[in-house]
Amino acid sequence: MYVADSRASARASADGAVRPEAGRRRAAIAPTVLALGTVSLVTDVSSEMVTAVLPLYLVTGLGLSPLGFGLLDGVYNGFSALVRLVGGHLADRGGGRHKWVAGLGYGVSALCKPLLLVAHSLTPIGLVLAADRTGKGLRTAPRDALISLSSTPEGRGRAFGVHRAMDTAGALFGPLVAFLILRATVDGYDAVFTVSFCVAVFGVLVLVLFVPGGRRQGGDGGGGERPTLRAAVGLLRRRDLSRITVCALLLGLATVSDSFVYLLLQRRLGVPDRWFALLPLGTAAAFLLLAVPLGRLADRVGRWAVFLGGHAALLLAYALLLTSWHGTPLPYVVLALHGGFYAATDGVLMAAASEGVPAVLRSSGLAVVQTGQALARFACSLLFGAAWTVWGDRAALAGAVVALAFCAAFSLTLRPKGTVPA
């Protein structure tokens, strides 16, 4: 059974989550959340080592065009959308086997790391990245369902904030490790991929040994819902969840990939190739510092306001990249805004979506929202890469600014119940 606070008595709520008894102090972060945060920290060290060097490896090392890179980047960030519903459904259908479905996803991604050592052209690299993202797609919804089910509804923003902060600590260390490896070895890229594999295996071991794997007990909390794919898709008939999904999809269509943001910064500032792997550190540092405060703020003032505020920060970052300003603070400001965007949206979106999903379909319901967002970001990578190839980077970014402003203005008119404080 999932426990929100081992030191305080609790009672089950109607949605299958755990609520503290009246008069008790706010529940501590669940041990399950902390264990999953550790897994994500270790795994992100592995994955961000690869992500930090991949743009430069593909564009400079293999000579791919921006369009070719956009295709691969879209695969890397959007292919998981095709299997997220499968991962969510398998976890729910198995009676709460979220840990084991997540473990399968982590294992698949780990096995893909050494394959990058033998892939040196567009097609095999695309296949490896697709397999890696398949693993991410399998694990994401079950992992977030575990976080949601082991947290109180009033503190889900904080719980997701703590998890995302631990996850981002790995994202902070990953590029730094990659940078040090590139400077210390002759065959830098191969060494990065090898070390990344070893770290990923360690993350899988932490999951198996320390994350609780019991089935849910008690009522299903789902009002008679059965964990089927039809029931999961049928959740979109719920007004609040459908609004959240539509907004996540529209805003995803205007969210430029992280890799493109770093490439734009490099071109604007003339950053040497050897320093490129350090650019993600700025985003990760801001994400790490802001994830918990913004998660708590979302619980207090409303998740929709914080979610849209994150996209306002991203819009400002894009606008700064379009200006003629070349001052020394530019990369720090842009990367801080970029990290603030993720801190205000990533976990906050999952906390908001959890309110409209019964416990028995929690993994599948979150997968529906994640699928829409991932597909939209896949399309954005393709469109932005094509626009960069045809019209140049500034014209492509200007189009993204207009699209993001329009989508944010539309999303501002919607206010799902699950995104405001109780």
Side-chain angles (χ1 to χ4, degrees):
M1 183 170 67
Y2 306 119
V3 181
D5 184 3
S6 59
R7 298 169 296 175
S9 60
R11 58 184 175 80
S13 67
D15 67 352
V18 179
R19 296 180 186 272
E21 291 287 357
R24 301 282 186 180
R25 66 192 180 113
R26 183 174 56 193
I29 296 298
T32 299
V33 176
L34 297 177
L36 286 169
T38 303
V39 174
S40 293
L41 188 156
V42 174
T43 302
D44 247 36
V45 171
S46 168
S47 61
E48 291 302 322
M49 287 174 62
V50 175
T51 302
V53 303
L54 196 62
L56 204 61
Y57 175 65
L58 295 175
V59 175
T60 303
L62 300 184
L64 290 182
S65 67
L67 178 59
F69 175 73
L71 176 62
L72 281 182
D73 190 69
V75 168
Y76 192 71
N77 290 292
F79 193 85
S80 61
L82 301 178
V83 293
R84 290 193 187 204
L85 283 175
V86 176
H89 173 67
L90 289 176
D92 289 333
R93 189 74 171 180
R97 294 174 181 163
H98 302 89
K99 170 184 174 177
W100 304 113
V101 176
L104 175 62
Y106 281 112
V108 169
S109 293
L111 292 174
C112 290
K113 300 300 188 294
L115 296 180
L116 289 170
L117 295 170
V118 296
H120 298 291
S121 61
L122 183 63
T123 300
I125 290 177
L127 291 175
V128 172
L129 295 182
D132 178 75
R133 294 300 90 181
T134 297
K136 181 176 177 61
L138 286 173
R139 71 180 184 249
T140 301
R143 180 204 65 198
D144 285 348
L146 278 171
I147 297 170
S148 174
L149 290 166
S150 58
S151 307
T152 63
E154 297 82 3
R156 282 192 184 125
R158 178 169 171 255
F160 275 103
V162 168
H163 173 268
R164 294 316 197 252
M166 296 180 71
D167 181 276
T168 307
L172 190 64
F173 289 122
L176 182 60
V177 173
F179 170 74
L180 295 175
I181 291 174
L182 287 175
R183 288 182 62 88
T185 59
V186 177
D187 297 323
Y189 293 119
D190 289 350
V192 167
F193 299 149
T194 302
V195 175
S196 174
F197 168 67
C198 297
V199 175
V201 171
F202 179 67
V204 175
L205 292 176
V206 173
L207 175 76
V208 171
L209 295 175
F210 296 104
V211 174
R215 294 168 178 260
R216 273 197 312 271
Q217 297 178 8
D220 64 12
E225 295 273 13
R226 294 186 58 198
T228 63
L229 284 176
R230 175 176 290 185
V233 177
L235 290 171
L236 290 175
R237 290 194 293 269
R238 301 180 179 222
R239 183 181 180 186
D240 292 334
L241 187 64
S242 65
R243 287 186 172 191
I244 290 173
T245 304
V246 167
C247 289
L249 189 153
L250 288 177
L251 291 166
L253 282 173
T255 302
V256 176
S257 165
D258 298 356
S259 298
F260 278 125
V261 172
Y262 303 142
L263 286 172
L264 287 167
L265 265 178
Q266 186 199 30
R267 292 198 171 201
R268 282 285 309 275
L269 303 174
V271 177
D273 290 352
R274 66 180 180 276
W275 298 106
F276 182 83
L278 293 181
L279 290 178
L281 292 179
T283 296
F287 194 169
L288 176 62
L289 293 174
L290 296 173
V292 176
L294 290 179
R296 295 180 65 181
L297 181 65
D299 288 334
R300 295 179 59 188
V301 306
R303 290 158 189 159
W304 208 234
V306 174
F307 181 72
L308 292 180
H311 285 87
L314 184 66
L315 186 62
L316 179 57
Y318 292 169
L320 288 175
L321 286 173
L322 279 176
T323 65
S324 57
W325 181 38
H326 288 78
T328 302
L330 177 63
Y332 302 101
V333 175
V334 169
L335 294 175
L337 290 169
H338 197 227
F341 156 71
Y342 279 113
T345 58
D346 192 10
V348 171
L349 178 63
M350 292 297 97
S354 296
E355 299 301 317
V357 182
V360 73
L361 287 170
R362 187 64 52 81
S363 185
S364 301
L366 296 183
V368 169
V369 179
Q370 293 166 354
T371 297
Q373 186 180 58
L375 285 173
R377 289 182 175 178
F378 171 77
C380 183
S381 286
L382 295 181
L383 293 173
F384 190 85
W388 185 336
T389 301
V390 176
W391 297 303
D393 55 348
R394 292 183 62 84
L397 186 58
V401 167
V402 173
L404 182 58
F406 175 81
C407 293
F410 175 78
S411 300
L412 190 61
T413 64
L414 303 180
R415 193 177 176 84
K417 290 182 181 177
T419 61
V420 297

